[in-house]
Amino acid sequence: MNKSKNHQILSGGQAVVEALRIEGVKYVFGLIGSATLELFDALYEAKDIKFIDVRDERTGAHMADGYARASGQPGIVIAGQNGPGATNLVTGIAQANAAFSPVISLAGDIASEHRGKDAFQEIDQQALFEPITKKTFSVKQTEKIPKILNEAFNLALAPRCGPVHVNLPRDILTNNANFAEFNKHHNNILPKASKDNLTKTIDIILSSSKPVIIAGGGIKNSQGGQEVIHLAKILNIPIVSSAGHGDALPFDESLYAGQMGPRGNPVASNLVKEADVILALGTRLGFNSTFFSYENINEQASIIQIDIEPKSLGRYFPITIGICADAKTAAIELCNEISLKKEAIKIDTWTKNFLDKRKDYLIKRDEEADINSHPIKPTGLFKILRETLPKNAAVTLDAGTLCLQATDMLNFNSPQSLFTPLDFGLVGFSFACGLGVKLAKPDCPVISLMGDGGFGMTISELSTAVQHKINTVTIVMNNKSWGAEKAYQRDFYEKRYIGTNINNPPFDKVAELYGAAGFHVNKLSELKNAINDALQCEKPAVINVDVDPNALYSFRKDSFKHKQKS
């Protein structure tokens, strides 16, 4: 266990920075504020920690979120000012909470003696963050800083991962204390499946005729894709991924169907609708994957659910077996259990039919891509992206109609190559997230896809990207609208458009004003060269792509049944 030298007299601000150093933190994201100047002054001395100063606390949290997901280490974000600085964090921390991302947020807070007196910029920050974190701390004694930050790291990385927030009053940061030692957090022990449950699971799968494996975030985040592939090949059964985790397995794996669910592709989705046994590995079977509806999962199927969070087992659908365990480890143990069987019956007809349908789907996906129309159609844009993006690229996505269409239209080749808002459905996430991903993966091309609305929310972080030479490529799919809402107004509200049309500046020109590279694509034939030039320009780059404003899609038709004419 790493420790610092004993018996140091430090200010609270210095103690915070020393705790981060002991944890091996490389980057801290944040926005300076007067409430935490003691902390920032200590950070100035920490030459082994780079401070990435952002233009908004929300986007700083997205950067920390992207960094955490891409690196597997906590992303650290500081809101330097109490009150408004802390409230600006809320959206980013709520996003990290929905994505089970290990973000640790630090916020300045009013002086302890002023609490409860309606002081300047006072708000109950403890109550504010408790619903959107695994735990929220308010430090009351300077000497407790190392212990609390140690616990924050433990909690953020403990299964299941998630954000932790720490409030740091002004006086706590300025006071001096005698610190005995700073310890690095300990690694968590992962739960394992019992021998009995493993045996029962294999028996159920081998007695089925239409089994399927769902690989979720627990497989992706543990990089357990190869273990799942090995299991599937032994049994000769198909695999799908849960929503937002299309990179859990390599796209070109023959038994992998891609993303399931209402926003997935039809082949993967139908496998789950028709399966008689579902082995759910590291997935909650949550809303984006199922809409909590038997329209998206076979009601008659036996569900075997393996998840590291016991509360997830059987929470949304009745299950035959529930196992609280690390999904990757369970996949290995299931392979070992099968090897003990004298006869392992392979499922042939079901899998052959799937392979034929998957092949046809991929052919049809390319054939139906419209690469000739003007304005640019999304299907054509995605086809060019499939052909052009480097195989080792990481892709970040926003919410919104165009990005939702992209989730299963692109090909992902390794874990941690797809980053989405997941269940929080946040617009304005992708660009800032991509900056964090790039810092975690400096040798990996990072492509951020956004609509024009979302990019307009966060465009000021171009200044951060240029200042710190964080060279991502942002592709703005510009249809001059809030596309999801405009589609709903078109389809269910008789084209009574209000608030959905957007007037945008030329984003490529704005990028150049910030010191980034800007490209404008008006014809699809220009896109491939623009992407290649952006990847090679050695600057942050923005590609402003004019997309057909009428190419909109209503994803949540189920929410507007009351508006549908009988």
Side-chain angles (χ1 to χ4, degrees), residues 212-214 238-243 256-275 278 288-290 293-298 350 354 357-358 361 408:
V212 67
I213 297 172
I214 302 177
I239 315 163
V240 304
S241 66
S242 60
Y256 179 43
Q259 181 177 270
M260 62 163 281
R263 294 163 179 153
N265 72 71
V267 176
S269 300
N270 286 333
L271 284 170
V272 182
K273 293 177 184 179
E274 298 170 5
I278 295 170
N288 273 343
S289 294
T290 65
S293 168
Y294 281 117
E295 291 181 6
N296 298 298
I297 190 168
N298 186 4
W350 164 250
F354 148 68
K357 290 177 181 177
R358 176 68 172 165
Y361 164 73
D408 210 73

Side-chain angles (χ1 to χ4, degrees), residues 347-540:
I347 294 87
D348 290 324
T349 303
W350 164 250
T351 301
K352 183 181 182 304
N353 288 339
F354 148 68
L355 292 172
D356 290 341
K357 290 177 181 177
R358 176 68 172 165
K359 181 180 177 181
D360 291 342
Y361 164 73
L362 294 176
I363 293 171
K364 187 177 180 182
R365 184 176 71 166
D366 276 341
E367 288 179 346
E368 292 184 348
D370 188 339
I371 60 173
N372 297 312
S373 291
H374 186 269
I376 295 168
K377 301 291 187 184
T379 55
L381 186 151
F382 298 141
K383 183 176 189 295
I384 298 300
L385 291 178
R386 289 195 297 270
E387 295 173 352
T388 309
L389 296 187
K391 287 198 72 173
N392 65 332
V395 176
T396 68
L397 296 177
D398 243 33
T401 183
L402 288 171
C403 285
L404 285 173
Q405 290 177 65
T407 53
D408 210 73
M409 284 287 181
L410 303 181
N411 302 336
F412 305 102
N413 299 289
S414 62
Q416 278 76 47
S417 60
L418 171 62
F419 302 84
T420 80
L422 297 172
D423 287 4
F424 202 52
L426 180 65
V427 172
F429 168 78
S430 179
F431 171 45
C433 172
L435 299 181
V437 172
K438 183 65 177 179
L439 289 173
K441 296 185 166 192
D443 297 327
C444 175
V446 176
I447 313 296
S448 296
L449 268 66
M450 303 190 80
D452 48 307
F455 188 62
M457 285 181 171
T458 58
I459 193 170
S460 61
E461 295 304 343
L462 276 171
S463 178
T464 301
V466 170
Q467 178 183 344
H468 294 286
K469 297 180 172 60
I470 311 173
N471 298 339
T472 63
V473 176
T474 302
I475 299 176
V476 182
M477 300 178 287
N478 191 341
N479 60 7
K480 298 180 175 59
S481 69
W482 298 105
E485 288 69 27
K486 189 169 185 178
Y488 298 140
Q489 289 178 347
R490 178 196 64 192
D491 294 342
F492 303 107
Y493 292 88
E494 299 177 348
K495 300 182 180 179
R496 293 161 58 88
Y497 298 123
I498 179 172
T500 50
N501 294 318
I502 306 174
N503 291 324
N504 295 311
F507 290 124
D508 52 305
K509 299 299 182 185
V510 174
E512 291 174 354
L513 290 172
Y514 272 103
F519 303 86
H520 182 213
V521 171
N522 181 254
K523 299 176 182 177
L524 199 54
S525 58
E526 303 166 344
L527 180 59
K528 190 171 292 189
N529 285 340
I531 292 172
N532 289 330
D533 289 345
L535 287 168
Q536 296 170 19
C537 73
E538 298 184 353
K539 289 182 177 183

Side-chain angles (χ1 to χ4, degrees), residues 100-315:
F100 306 109
S101 182
V103 171
I104 297 176
S105 54
L106 311 174
D109 205 351
I110 61 167
S112 302
E113 63 178 322
H114 293 160
R115 190 175 305 282
K117 297 180 180 178
D118 297 328
F120 178 64
Q121 295 184 328
E122 180 179 6
I123 189 171
D124 187 345
Q125 294 176 195
Q126 181 71 27
L128 185 68
F129 286 93
E130 281 180 343
I132 55 172
T133 59
K134 292 183 76 173
K135 189 167 183 177
T136 295
F137 297 90
S138 291
V139 183
K140 297 180 180 178
Q141 296 173 283
T142 298
E143 56 267 28
K144 297 290 187 183
I145 286 173
K147 182 177 184 295
I148 288 174
L149 288 181
N150 187 271
E151 188 173 350
F153 274 83
N154 278 329
L155 283 170
L157 292 169
R160 162 180 293 137
C161 293
V164 176
H165 180 76
V166 182
N167 294 308
L168 296 159
R170 287 171 179 252
D171 53 306
I172 297 298
L173 291 175
T174 57
N175 289 345
N176 290 336
N178 188 338
F179 295 94
E181 62 183 19
F182 293 78
N183 296 325
K184 186 176 172 65
H185 77 279
H186 59 78
N187 293 324
N188 296 285
I189 299 173
L190 302 177
K192 291 187 177 183
S194 69
K195 171 77 170 176
D196 182 54
N197 275 333
L198 292 169
T199 302
K200 289 179 180 177
T201 296
I202 292 302
D203 288 342
I204 291 173
I205 293 174
L206 292 180
S207 65
S208 69
S209 59
K210 296 186 292 183
V212 67
I213 297 172
I214 302 177
I219 293 298
K220 167 181 169 175
N221 295 333
S222 65
Q223 299 196 32
Q226 292 304 315
E227 286 74 14
V228 175
I229 291 168
H230 183 50
L231 175 62
K233 286 184 175 178
I234 292 173
L235 295 167
N236 193 37
I237 62 177
I239 315 163
V240 304
S241 66
S242 60
H245 300 301
D247 57 334
L249 285 80
F251 163 79
D252 58 3
E253 168 52 48
S254 61
L255 289 174
Y256 179 43
Q259 181 177 270
M260 62 163 281
R263 294 163 179 153
N265 72 71
V267 176
S269 300
N270 286 333
L271 284 170
V272 182
K273 293 177 184 179
E274 298 170 5
D276 60 359
V277 170
I278 295 170
L279 176 59
L281 293 174
T283 172
R284 296 166 296 143
L285 301 174
F287 178 79
N288 273 343
S289 294
T290 65
F291 281 2
F292 304 142
S293 168
Y294 281 117
E295 291 181 6
N296 298 298
I297 190 168
N298 186 4
E299 187 171 6
Q300 307 305 315
S302 296
I303 299 175
I304 303 161
Q305 190 176 12
I306 302 177
D307 198 87
I308 207 159
E309 173 55 64
K311 290 188 294 187
S312 294
L313 300 176
R315 182 178 181 186

Side-chain angles (χ1 to χ4, degrees), residues 331-346:
I332 296 170
E333 292 172 334
L334 286 169
C335 291
N336 295 337
E337 185 66 24
I338 292 171
S339 68
L340 300 176
K341 297 285 183 182
K342 292 182 179 179
E343 292 184 8
I345 302 171
K346 287 194 173 184

